[in-house]
Amino acid sequence: MGLNFSAYNTDEIIDFLQEQVKDGIVKTDKDSLQTVSYSQNLPGQHGLALALVEAGSIADIQGVMRAARRFHLPVVSQNRFTSTVVGADAVDHAIILSTAKMNKILELNAEDAYAVVQPGVINNDLDQAARKQGLFYAPDPASKKMSGIGGNVATNAGGLSGVRYGSTRDNVLGLKVVLADGRLLDLGGKTSKQAFGYNLTQLFVGSEGTLGTIVEITVKLLPLPLGESLMGLAYFKDMHTLAEATKDLRMSGIYPAMLEAMDSHTLQAVSEFRDNKEMAGRGAALIFRVDSISDEGKQIVKNIMDKYHVTDVQLATDPAEQDKIISVRQDMLPAIFTGRSAVMEDMAVPTSRMAELVDTIQALSDKYPELEIFTAGHAGDGNLHPTVTWSKDAKEMPESVNIVLHEMFTKALELGGTISGEHAVGMLKNQWNNVELGEDVDWIQHQIKSLFDPMNLLNPKRKID
């Protein structure tokens, strides 16, 4: 039996932690810890947290950092726990630092078109508040109704309208961040232009909690578009043809706000899920939206549809009819995941190379019949989400899943793309850093991590390996 010379026992650690958290709550009961420690994304790749801190203030977060430094404990930041890449699961003996209850809109300035929010504000709540002022918040990830702005910023979340309005990164003006040593950085500001100093604001966007904890965000808002909005659902013979048409729409000058693609497997799944045979047997579908469309823009859409021999197009300007069209896209994930084991991926390539990636994915689907691959995604910016599925009855994930993912990743990089378009890196892809970025950049990234977090306390094993 070995000897254990622990300097501190668990009670001492928890007592100190509770002294530091004045405005929030510290939880150590088993049920709470299990709830925040384990997601369903990658079983076996997480640990059990030592404590959950539901922070109520910036001071609470600074107190957590004091405890983490004193006892050398990892800190895993969580917001709404919607990560798809094991970005917020616990590691053993970690403090889970939740910012979900810091959920106030601190300022909504219609005159200068910005908002200042705490990290726990739900994306959709901010958007709805802005719309009451004649503005809107553009980033709209699929998790819009449940994900927090803090998590969106930490992962640089994308969304359906990214083709026109950009990802989260393109809509962040400023941040407040608590570092591992407890310092509070005030970065960026409330102006659309700023050229002073290094751009640390954008360094923290997409940093996945590895450099600091985001505690306040200033985002830009946009005026609601004037005029008529056109939404369409067009069926193509296959994804390759859809990809070519998407390229034409994007470069036509009509500036589409949405270009969403679904392949034949996805359409079949949605058809079964909705108990609606309309989409069954279709080759591929494109859902598109153009804001403030002119008569000339409508003619451009018609010309492109004619060019690719699209004979079945549903067009809608009425908001209720548009909601029916977008519901097809919203039903995609439950349709695919119901009754299947699955891994949803997230690759992006230059839009001119998207057809090649689509062809590769289709070939892999044909090569491995024990798997079914559903390909959908944000066609307007080349960001595809092939979802690899297998039987729910299988006791283990088939080895062919790993082979298919490796080949898809390799092809995306070969085409000049990335293996993480908007879902972040987390723990699933951190070993690909030197493959995608190169050894020199990989080394620099570790040096940056060491500068901000020399004790490697913040979200270890994520973002970089």
Side-chain angles (χ1 to χ4, degrees):
M1 183 176 182
L3 296 175
N4 186 351
F5 292 104
S6 297
Y8 305 98
N9 61 45
T10 300
D11 289 341
E12 290 176 297
I13 294 172
I14 298 301
D15 286 346
F16 183 85
L17 181 61
Q18 289 177 326
E19 290 173 5
Q20 306 307 307
V21 178
K22 308 292 187 184
D23 303 309
I25 300 172
V26 178
K27 295 182 177 179
T28 59
D29 63 284
K30 185 177 180 181
D31 289 344
S32 294
L33 296 183
Q34 288 182 334
T35 298
V36 299
S37 290
Y38 313 136
S39 71
Q40 301 300 313
N41 296 314
L42 192 62
Q45 296 296 313
H46 47 234
L48 180 64
L50 178 71
L52 162 66
V53 175
E54 296 177 342
S57 64
I58 292 174
D60 284 347
I61 294 170
Q62 292 172 311
V64 168
M65 298 307 173
R66 279 193 293 273
R69 291 197 313 277
R70 179 168 182 171
F71 302 114
H72 292 204
L73 297 174
V75 177
V76 176
S77 293
Q78 279 186 7
N79 193 254
R80 295 288 173 171
F81 206 18
T82 59
S83 172
T84 62
V85 292
V86 194
D89 290 47
V91 295
D92 282 332
H93 312 300
I95 301 171
I96 297 291
L97 174 56
S98 172
T99 57
K101 291 189 175 180
M102 296 174 64
N103 57 5
K104 293 182 175 62
I105 297 175
L106 302 175
E107 182 183 3
L108 203 161
N109 188 311
E111 185 176 13
D112 291 319
Y114 69 81
V116 181
V117 302
Q118 292 182 317
V121 171
I122 299 294
N123 181 304
N124 190 59
D125 291 348
L126 172 60
D127 185 42
Q128 293 303 309
R131 287 174 185 272
K132 293 177 181 177
Q133 303 292 324
L135 303 165
F136 73 106
Y137 178 60
D140 59 345
S143 59
K144 180 182 180 76
K145 293 184 178 180
M146 59 182 177
S147 62
I149 300 294
N152 292 169
V153 173
T155 59
N156 188 29
L160 306 186
S161 65
V163 61
R164 177 163 184 172
Y165 301 113
S167 62
T168 300
R169 181 186 304 280
D170 303 299
N171 293 273
V172 172
L173 298 174
L175 297 173
K176 287 185 179 179
V177 182
V178 172
L179 300 183
D181 62 11
R183 281 180 294 171
L184 176 65
L185 297 188
D186 192 348
L187 307 172
K190 297 176 180 178
T191 58
S192 59
K193 290 182 177 180
Q194 189 191 61
F196 215 88
Y198 297 115
N199 193 343
L200 296 182
T201 306
Q202 292 299 323
L203 176 62
F204 280 93
V205 177
S207 62
E208 301 181 41
T210 61
L211 302 180
T213 299
I214 294 166
V215 296
E216 188 176 292
I217 307 108
T218 301
V219 298
K220 70 179 179 181
L221 304 175
L222 299 174
L224 290 169
L226 292 174
E228 196 172 56
S229 170
L230 178 70
M231 182 171 284
L233 170 59
Y235 293 103
F236 291 78
K237 68 175 184 178
D238 54 39
M239 281 286 281
H240 185 99
T241 306
L242 180 150
E244 293 296 328
T246 296
K247 184 170 57 177
D248 286 1
L249 284 167
R250 190 173 185 273
M251 300 305 295
S252 67
I254 62 174
Y255 298 104
M258 180 187 299
L259 290 167
E260 294 293 303
M262 293 180 287
D263 73 350
S264 59
H265 295 296
T266 306
L267 290 172
Q268 182 65 39
V270 173
S271 176
E272 294 171 2
F273 180 77
R274 297 165 67 105
D275 193 22
N276 183 334
K277 296 181 181 180
E278 180 184 358
M279 288 168 283
R282 305 279 191 168
L286 179 70
I287 295 176
F288 58 90
R289 190 184 87 234
V290 183
D291 293 337
S292 304
I293 193 166
S294 63
D295 289 340
E296 182 183 8
K298 291 178 182 178
Q299 187 60 48
I300 289 172
V301 171
K302 182 181 184 302
N303 292 343
I304 292 174
M305 295 298 135
D306 290 344
K307 175 182 176 181
Y308 291 95
H309 309 292
V310 178
T311 57
D312 194 347
V313 185
Q314 301 172 26
L315 298 176
T317 55
D318 177 71
E321 292 301 312
Q322 292 182 349
D323 287 344
K324 290 180 182 179
I325 290 176
I326 199 61
S327 70
V328 175
R329 174 64 171 81
Q330 292 166 340
D331 284 344
M332 181 192 77
L333 291 183
I336 292 174
F337 287 123
T338 300
R340 300 177 176 90
S341 295
V343 175
M344 181 174 65
E345 267 314 323
D346 170 40
M347 295 164 288
V349 295
T351 51
S352 63
R353 312 300 297 274
M354 188 173 68
E356 295 174 69
L357 182 59
V358 165
D359 291 343
T360 296
I361 294 169
Q362 182 58 54
L364 289 169
S365 183
D366 295 339
K367 185 176 180 180
Y368 297 96
E370 72 275 19
L371 306 176
E372 190 169 12
I373 304 177
F374 300 85
T375 302
H378 316 304
D381 47 25
N383 185 195
L384 294 180
H385 298 306
T387 302
V388 183
T389 71
W390 62 98
S391 172
K392 201 83 171 179
D393 297 329
K395 294 181 179 179
E396 296 181 353
M397 185 179 76
E399 180 56 31
S400 52
V401 175
N402 285 320
I403 296 172
V404 165
L405 293 176
H406 190 279
E407 293 195 29
M408 286 195 300
F409 289 173
T410 300
K411 185 64 176 181
L413 295 176
E414 178 188 313
L415 295 173
T418 175
I419 65 170
S420 180
E422 61 181 5
H423 290 174
V425 175
M427 200 180 291
L428 287 185
K429 302 178 183 179
N430 56 10
Q431 293 185 15
W432 283 76
N433 270 281
N434 62 348
V435 180
E436 172 159 337
L437 303 175
E439 291 187 15
D440 291 341
V441 175
D442 188 30
W443 183 258
I444 290 291
Q445 295 222 345
H446 281 81
Q447 289 180 305
I448 292 171
K449 168 69 170 173
S450 296
L451 173 65
F452 284 93
D453 181 22
M455 294 175 70
N456 193 30
L457 301 177
L458 303 182
N459 222 9
K461 302 182 180 179
R462 321 303 158 96
K463 188 70 175 178
I464 57 176
D465 183 26

